Amino acid sequence: EQFNLRPKHISVLPLSDGSAAALYYLEGSMWPKGRKPVEHYLTRVLAVYVKEVGAWKVRAGHWSPLVGGAGTSQPDG
């Protein structure tokens, strides 16, 4: 497994219950175990974070591939 991913253009939106939503683009390359490599990984991300026991944890997320890039839903072959 290899992951070379960089977040870009990060926006954090505080939510009324003390959680936060992060919106950003994730760009780079990856080679997940047992899958074909993705040379131009490019997705838009929405992640919801909740603070638990003093640390921020991702509790929900959505990744959408962008035009011209590949993303998490790309089938093999």
Side-chain angles (χ1 to χ4, degrees):
E1 284 185 303
Q2 289 182 298
F3 295 90
N4 181 20
L5 302 171
R6 296 167 304 285
K8 292 183 164 188
H9 309 293
I10 302 167
S11 294
V12 177
L13 305 169
L15 302 175
S16 61
D17 63 357
S19 60
L23 300 122
Y24 57 95
Y25 295 95
L26 195 56
E27 181 176 31
S29 61
M30 66 180 205
W31 192 334
K33 189 174 185 176
R35 307 273 319 239
K36 291 183 179 182
V38 179
E39 296 295 328
H40 189 232
Y41 184 92
L42 182 58
T43 60
R44 186 176 18 242
V45 179
L46 165 66
V48 177
Y49 291 82
V50 175
K51 199 165 196 178
E52 296 177 356
V53 192
W56 287 99
K57 307 283 184 174
V58 176
R59 289 295 170 231
H62 179 79
W63 291 259
S64 297
L66 293 171
V67 174
T72 58
S73 63
Q74 297 298 313
D76 284 338

